[in-house]
């Protein structure tokens, strides 16, 4: 057919049809295939419908809309190895870029993370601008799936790790856990006019080691005990304490020594130096060595032994002497 033809009735062709323009086939029908050899253009508000439901619609001059006919909108298939994203995906208002072509993601509503269809592992929450964040529902590992582990709940946070021993080609892992929490205070110095709380550390390890100097404001104390260390003072109780003074240590309370007491350097004998109060390990007796002893009132001794060395270059006098407790005038 050449030229223009006007048909007022229907056109029926059951053996194949080819339609085109200027000698070029743009649309052809063959068995079960419909081949389009050009562009398919839609005016505003029109598109493709399936069962009276638009599935591809030109909603505006620069916008199109894909839809389903009541079920899910599926992308990809058995013969599609991957879907490549050349433009970003935004929220319904077009204000937030949720996923960029290179993987940058933003989820302004909320976020929930699971693994292999398990329970919730991570989620976001928001109460208001001052209370919003991330919730870790299970465990947080460092480095690998067997690394240092954080767990916690409303009352505490727990750190867990393993201590590795390798002895005679045998590797032994000892697990340990340390908890951090806040608890009601049992300190002897807690305020009495209100509730008081303490930061509590509990561990199943044998010791706590600090690799750097430990400093505290106020004092360092013993749990539920009056013993504490403050600046320049060691309190054993409120009455018994050791206090640093300008040239030494001031002792409050009686001092009890179970061993010997001496100067930093000590040697016995007439030509020795220093002083000492020493316990004899053989007899259990105690001896004292000083350069001088001054008794303001009485000096009592059950046994008195004098070891004296005298040297003279002139006269040497020996005379009687006496002593008394009181002096009375005789008439």
């Amino acid at each position: 057919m050449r030229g223009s033809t006007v048909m007022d009735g229907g056109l029926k062709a059951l053996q194949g049809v080819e339609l085109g323009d200027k000698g070029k086939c743009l649309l052809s029908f063959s068995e079960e295939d419909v081949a389009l050899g050009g562009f398919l253009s839609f005016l505003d508000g029109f598109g493709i419908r399936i069962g009276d439901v638009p599935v591809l619609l030109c909603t505006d001059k620069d916008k199109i809309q894909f839809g389903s006919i009541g079920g899910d909108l599926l992308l990809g298939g058995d013969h599609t190895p991957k879907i490549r994203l050349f433009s970003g995906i935004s929220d319904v208002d077009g204000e937030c870029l949720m996923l960029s072509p290179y993987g940058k993601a933003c989820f302004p509503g909320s976020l929930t993370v699971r693994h292999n269809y398990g329970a919730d592992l991570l989620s976001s929450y928001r109460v208001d601008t001052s209370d919003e964040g991330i919730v870790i529902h299970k465990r947080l590992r460092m480095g690998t799936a067997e690394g240092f582990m954080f767990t916690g709940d409303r009352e505490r946070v727990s750190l867990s790790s393993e201590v590795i021993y390798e002895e005679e080609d045998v590797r032994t892992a000892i697990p340990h856990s340390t908890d951090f929490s806040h608890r009601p205070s049992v300190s002897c110095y807690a305020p009495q006019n209100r509730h008081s709380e303490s930061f509590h550390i509990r561990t199943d390890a044998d010791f706590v080691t600090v690799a750097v100097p430990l400093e505290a404001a106020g004092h360092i104390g013993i749990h539920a005990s009056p013993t504490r260390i403050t600046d320049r003072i060691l309190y054993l109780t409120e009455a018994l304490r050791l206090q640093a003074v300008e040239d030494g240590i001031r002792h409050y309370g009686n001092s009890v020594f179970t061993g010997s007491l001496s100067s930093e350097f000590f040697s016995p004998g007439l030509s020795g130096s220093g002083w000492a109060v020493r316990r004899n390990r053989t007899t259990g007796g105690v001896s004292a060595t000083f350069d001088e002893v001054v008794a303001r009132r009485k000096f009592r001794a059950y046994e008195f032994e004098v070891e004296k060395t005298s040297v003279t270059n002139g006269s040497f006098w020996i005379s009687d002497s006496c002593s008394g407790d009181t002096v009375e005038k005789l008439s």
Side-chain angles (χ1 to χ4, degrees), residues 140-196:
L140 181 62
R141 294 275 191 177
M142 298 292 137
T144 66
E146 298 178 350
F148 199 96
M149 181 176 68
F150 289 84
T151 58
D153 51 30
R154 185 178 179 85
E155 297 181 352
R156 65 181 179 88
V157 61
S158 178
L159 312 180
S160 301
S161 64
E162 294 180 343
V163 179
I164 306 299
Y165 294 94
E166 294 186 358
E167 301 171 340
E168 299 179 354
D169 298 330
V170 177
R171 186 177 185 272
T172 304
I174 307 297
H176 284 290
S177 177
T178 300
D179 296 339
F180 300 89
S181 62
H182 293 94
R183 295 185 179 182
S185 178
V186 295
S187 172
C188 298
Y189 306 100
Q192 300 300 308
N193 58 346
R194 61 174 177 82
H195 292 299
S196 178

Side-chain angles (χ1 to χ4, degrees), residues 221-276:
I222 305 298
H223 178 70
S225 169
T227 301
R228 71 189 191 278
I229 299 176
T230 65
D231 184 24
R232 301 171 63 87
I233 304 176
L234 168 60
Y235 285 91
L236 304 177
T237 66
E238 288 300 321
L240 304 179
R241 63 186 185 272
L242 302 178
Q243 180 176 354
V245 294
E246 182 177 355
D247 58 349
I249 299 176
R250 182 175 296 165
H251 297 251
Y252 291 83
N254 299 324
S255 297
V256 179
F257 298 90
T258 60
S260 299
L261 182 65
S262 71
S263 58
E264 181 178 5
F265 301 102
F266 171 75
S267 58
L270 177 64
S271 61
S273 63
W275 60 270

Side-chain angles (χ1 to χ4, degrees), residues 34 42 47 61 65 73 105 144 150 164 194 206 250 256 265 267 270 276 282 297 306 311 313 319:
V34 177
F42 300 101
K61 293 181 180 180
Q65 179 180 351
L73 180 63
T144 66
F150 289 84
I164 306 299
R194 61 174 177 82
D206 296 324
R250 182 175 296 165
V256 179
F265 301 102
S267 58
L270 177 64
T282 303
R297 301 188 65 179
V306 177
V311 178
N313 193 25
S319 64

Side-chain angles (χ1 to χ4, degrees), residues 15-319:
Q15 301 300 322
V17 175
E18 291 184 356
L19 301 177
D21 185 31
K22 297 180 181 181
K24 179 182 178 182
C25 178
L26 300 178
L27 182 65
S28 65
F29 299 86
S30 176
E31 295 184 358
E32 295 182 354
D33 296 331
V34 177
L36 183 65
F39 291 100
L40 185 63
S41 299
F42 300 101
L43 299 178
D44 294 347
F46 296 95
I48 298 177
R49 294 188 300 183
I50 298 179
D52 296 331
V53 178
V55 295
L56 176 61
L57 186 65
C58 180
T59 59
D60 203 345
K61 293 181 180 180
D62 59 351
K63 297 181 180 64
I64 63 172
Q65 179 180 351
F66 284 99
S68 178
I69 57 175
D72 297 332
L73 180 63
L74 308 179
L75 298 178
D78 295 338
H79 301 285
T80 304
K82 57 186 174 183
I83 297 176
R84 300 172 62 186
L85 189 65
F86 284 84
S87 299
I89 298 177
S90 116
D91 62 355
V92 65
D93 297 324
E95 297 178 353
C96 178
L97 183 64
M98 298 175 61
L99 182 62
S100 73
Y102 295 98
K104 180 181 179 181
C106 174
F107 302 97
S110 64
L111 173 67
T112 300
V113 177
R114 298 179 179 178
H115 185 73
N116 284 349
Y117 300 96
D120 291 352
L121 302 179
L122 180 148
S123 64
S124 60
Y125 81 96
R126 185 179 190 275
V127 178
D128 51 40
T129 56
S130 62
D131 187 7
E132 55 186 347
I134 296 294
V135 178
I136 304 297
H137 297 278
K138 296 290 185 178
R139 300 175 174 181
L140 181 62
R141 294 275 191 177
M142 298 292 137
T144 66
E146 298 178 350
F148 199 96
M149 181 176 68
F150 289 84
T151 58
D153 51 30
R154 185 178 179 85
E155 297 181 352
R156 65 181 179 88
V157 61
S158 178
L159 312 180
S160 301
S161 64
E162 294 180 343
V163 179
I164 306 299
Y165 294 94
E166 294 186 358
E167 301 171 340
E168 299 179 354
D169 298 330
V170 177
R171 186 177 185 272
T172 304
I174 307 297
H176 284 290
S177 177
T178 300
D179 296 339
F180 300 89
S181 62
H182 293 94
R183 295 185 179 182
S185 178
V186 295
S187 172
C188 298
Y189 306 100
Q192 300 300 308
N193 58 346
R194 61 174 177 82
H195 292 299
S196 178
E197 297 76 35
S198 297
F199 180 59
H200 187 267
I201 302 176
R202 186 200 65 82
T203 181
D204 56 5
D206 296 324
F207 304 98
V208 176
T209 302
V210 181
V212 296
L214 180 63
E215 298 182 359
H219 70 263
I220 298 177
I222 305 298
H223 178 70
S225 169
T227 301
R228 71 189 191 278
I229 299 176
T230 65
D231 184 24
R232 301 171 63 87
I233 304 176
L234 168 60
Y235 285 91
L236 304 177
T237 66
E238 288 300 321
L240 304 179
R241 63 186 185 272
L242 302 178
Q243 180 176 354
V245 294
E246 182 177 355
D247 58 349
I249 299 176
R250 182 175 296 165
H251 297 251
Y252 291 83
N254 299 324
S255 297
V256 179
F257 298 90
T258 60
S260 299
L261 182 65
S262 71
S263 58
E264 181 178 5
F265 301 102
F266 171 75
S267 58
L270 177 64
S271 61
S273 63
W275 60 270
V277 179
R278 298 191 302 173
R279 180 182 296 276
N280 190 308
R281 296 183 180 179
T282 303
T283 63
V286 178
S287 63
T289 302
F290 304 99
D291 291 331
E292 294 183 6
V293 176
V294 177
R296 293 186 180 275
R297 301 188 65 179
K298 294 182 180 180
F299 185 86
R300 291 190 176 97
Y302 292 101
E303 182 178 348
F304 199 89
E305 180 180 334
V306 177
E307 296 180 3
K308 181 178 181 181
T309 301
S310 300
V311 178
T312 181
N313 193 25
S315 300
F316 184 68
W317 291 80
I318 299 176
S319 64

